[in-house]
Amino acid sequence: MTSKKKSVSVVPLGDVPEVDLQVIADHIIGCFKLTTQILPPMDPPEYALDERRLQYNAAIIIEMFESIHFSDHDKVIAVLNQDLFIPIFTHVFGEARQGGKCGLVSLYRLAKNPDGSTPPKSTIHERAAKVALHELGHLLDLLHCEHKKCLMHFSGGIDEVDEMSLDLCEYCSIYLQDKLR
Ligand SMILES: [Zn+2]
Ligand SMILES: [Zn+2]
């Protein structure tokens, strides 16, 4: 068994504002206590565009990412502006496979409230941090949690993202500590 701390890289796909990357990296460090590094941008995932839906297929992007060798990085959080979907949902804020290597965070739908109004920047940043930590939770083997305030609660709409907290419930927290040991 190795006690080496897991490290997470945050990588922008295309032109993602530096501040969003920094907020995500800071929350990974602060909330999950993991070593985090922001990598130089990679190309936006045009290969994953679904021409009929005009959205990007999250599974195709993750598959591509899982095939890349990121040396020294245990987990990768890719951040992009494109609207993501998986076939059973109209859209997703992020996507990751349980225990996988690479998770996605889409900023596309975070800058609008359910009533169409624009939230303050601080709200958008908090949402981005929640989605990123939630997907990283999946990469670290966490499943969805029924507690509405828990970071691992499933969010289908932005109101549910707002309702959940940046923290794991007691149960998920113990599970994660066990995984990171
Ligand atoms: Zn989830
Ligand atoms: Zn929980």
Side-chain angles (χ1 to χ4, degrees):
M1 284 291 280
T2 170
S3 61
K4 184 183 163 287
K5 239 183 159 182
K6 280 196 168 32
S7 80
V8 181
S9 59
V10 177
V11 56
L13 304 187
D15 195 12
V16 176
E18 181 69 32
V19 61
D20 292 299
L21 303 170
Q22 198 59 57
V23 165
I24 289 170
D26 287 349
H27 277 84
I28 294 172
I29 296 165
C31 300
F32 281 11
K33 314 278 183 266
L34 297 173
T35 313
T36 305
Q37 193 188 346
I38 297 172
L39 299 184
M42 293 176 64
D43 290 335
E46 290 312 320
Y47 53 85
L49 175 66
D50 183 304
E51 307 233 336
R52 197 172 46 84
R53 300 177 62 135
L54 296 177
Q55 288 177 298
Y56 291 74
N57 188 323
I60 291 175
I61 304 172
I62 288 179
E63 210 167 282
M64 204 286 282
F65 261 78
E66 301 262 344
S67 71
I68 301 175
H69 180 66
F70 287 92
S71 57
D72 298 334
H73 297 279
D74 299 301
K75 303 294 178 189
V76 178
I77 293 291
V79 187
L80 65 168
N81 293 308
Q82 285 80 3
D83 193 20
L84 295 176
F85 77 96
I86 56 174
I88 54 166
F89 292 118
T90 55
H91 66 270
V92 288
F93 301 115
E95 176 70 359
R97 291 180 187 143
Q98 193 198 3
K101 173 146 179 135
C102 172
L104 303 177
V105 176
S106 166
L107 303 174
Y108 185 84
R109 290 177 187 265
L110 304 184
K112 272 236 155 57
N113 287 326
D115 64 4
S117 61
T118 304
K121 277 266 185 302
S122 59
T123 302
I124 300 171
H125 290 154
E126 192 177 326
R127 289 171 178 172
K130 283 175 180 175
V131 175
L133 290 176
H134 177 100
E135 302 311 339
L136 182 57
H138 283 314
L139 298 181
L140 296 169
D141 235 15
L142 290 172
L143 292 163
H144 283 150
C145 175
E146 62 188 42
H147 296 282
K148 282 202 155 126
K149 294 269 173 211
C150 177
L151 179 66
M152 292 315 292
H153 188 73
F154 171 76
S155 300
I158 203 74
D159 45 341
E160 289 167 294
V161 176
D162 288 340
E163 191 173 349
M164 74 184 186
S165 71
L166 276 159
D167 297 315
L168 296 166
C169 72
E170 201 181 343
Y171 175 83
C172 291
S173 178
I174 290 168
Y175 189 83
L176 179 67
Q177 279 164 26
D178 197 53
K179 285 285 163 193
L180 292 176
R181 217 188 306 266

